[in-house]
Amino acid sequence: MVEEPSIAVITGGASGIGRATVTRFLEDDVYDLVACLDIAEDVEKRFEDESIRAFRCDVTDHDQVSETISELEGEGRIDAVVNNAGFSKYSWIGDLSPDEWREIIDINLTSQYNLAHTAAPAMYEREHGYLLNVSSGAGKRGSASGGVHYSAAKAGVFGLTKGLAKQLSPYVRVNCVIPGLVDTPLATDSNLWTETELEEQAERIPLKRLAQPDDVARVIHFLCDEGASYMTGELVTVDGGSSLS
Ligand code: NAD
């Protein structure tokens, strides 16, 4: 019998941590295809490798996610989903409108439900799969640079991860990565931090530097691999020791 191609799906894969994760997944021989779902207009032009399929997809939109997952399931079996897409904004609570609240909850939390809802049941039926949700230290401590909507959404990811890990056991392992400050456009090219603030933050980190995207991608890859075969429902912090203080 010919085996179906194995597919890994990575959201927000066009930039930063997601892009580094796409590269990590490509480097091993486990997956025949790595699918990148991203809202970036030029997502299809950002990759040249024929083992990558780029989809312009807004992961907050359940219909778009459902269509993309169905299309991929026609090409093979989805064995891993990395819910990485995210976005942060600063708003003082008094200025935080209901629309902006929903926007940030949708991109950082509802998107992860959308992928789990559309992709996880088939993994469960096949009795094999990995889900990995990206959160943030903002969910543990409250965001230093973003608003309370970002902190709330990232804390919501903890509950989503643990609930899914219970429901989908023993077949699908579900874990969460909690990055500290990472050198990506979200931190460096947004108006969340000035360059001086980033330098000050780096000085306070015990390992004395921001994370590079691949520092996080390596842990994501590990959790979606057999090396982590006895881990599920875990929240794994990758913050250079920032949580020590
Ligand atoms: P990034 O801005 O480099 O990449 C985020 C990607 O998500 C972009 O390619 C963007 O186009 C995509 N995206 C945004 N909205 C989308 C949508 N609606 N649909 C599909 N794709 C969408 O940022 P990053 O730092 O790599 O962030 C990745 C994850 O890591 C996010 O969940 C973020 O909250 C989390 N995180 C980042 C940091 C940090 O310091 N950079 C710290 C903690 C957690």
Side-chain angles (χ1 to χ4, degrees), residues 29-70:
D29 280 338
V30 174
Y31 301 98
D32 301 297
L33 191 69
V34 179
C36 163
L37 277 53
D38 202 291
I39 202 169
E41 270 180 34
D42 61 344
V43 59
E44 280 143 11
K45 294 193 194 122
R46 293 202 198 180
F47 301 103
E48 280 168 8
D49 194 301
E50 61 185 26
S51 301
I52 301 176
R53 282 283 306 282
F55 292 86
R56 180 143 194 249
C57 174
D58 178 351
V59 292
T60 67
D61 183 327
H62 190 277
D63 289 347
Q64 285 187 36
V65 171
S66 181
E67 277 166 29
T68 310
I69 293 298
S70 297

Side-chain angles (χ1 to χ4, degrees), residues 164-190:
L164 284 169
K166 275 194 179 148
Q167 277 198 356
L168 298 173
S169 283
Y171 304 128
V172 181
R173 291 196 295 98
V174 188
N175 289 295
C176 167
V177 162
I178 309 175
L181 207 45
V182 189
D183 185 0
T184 71
L186 182 67
T188 57
D189 299 347
S190 61

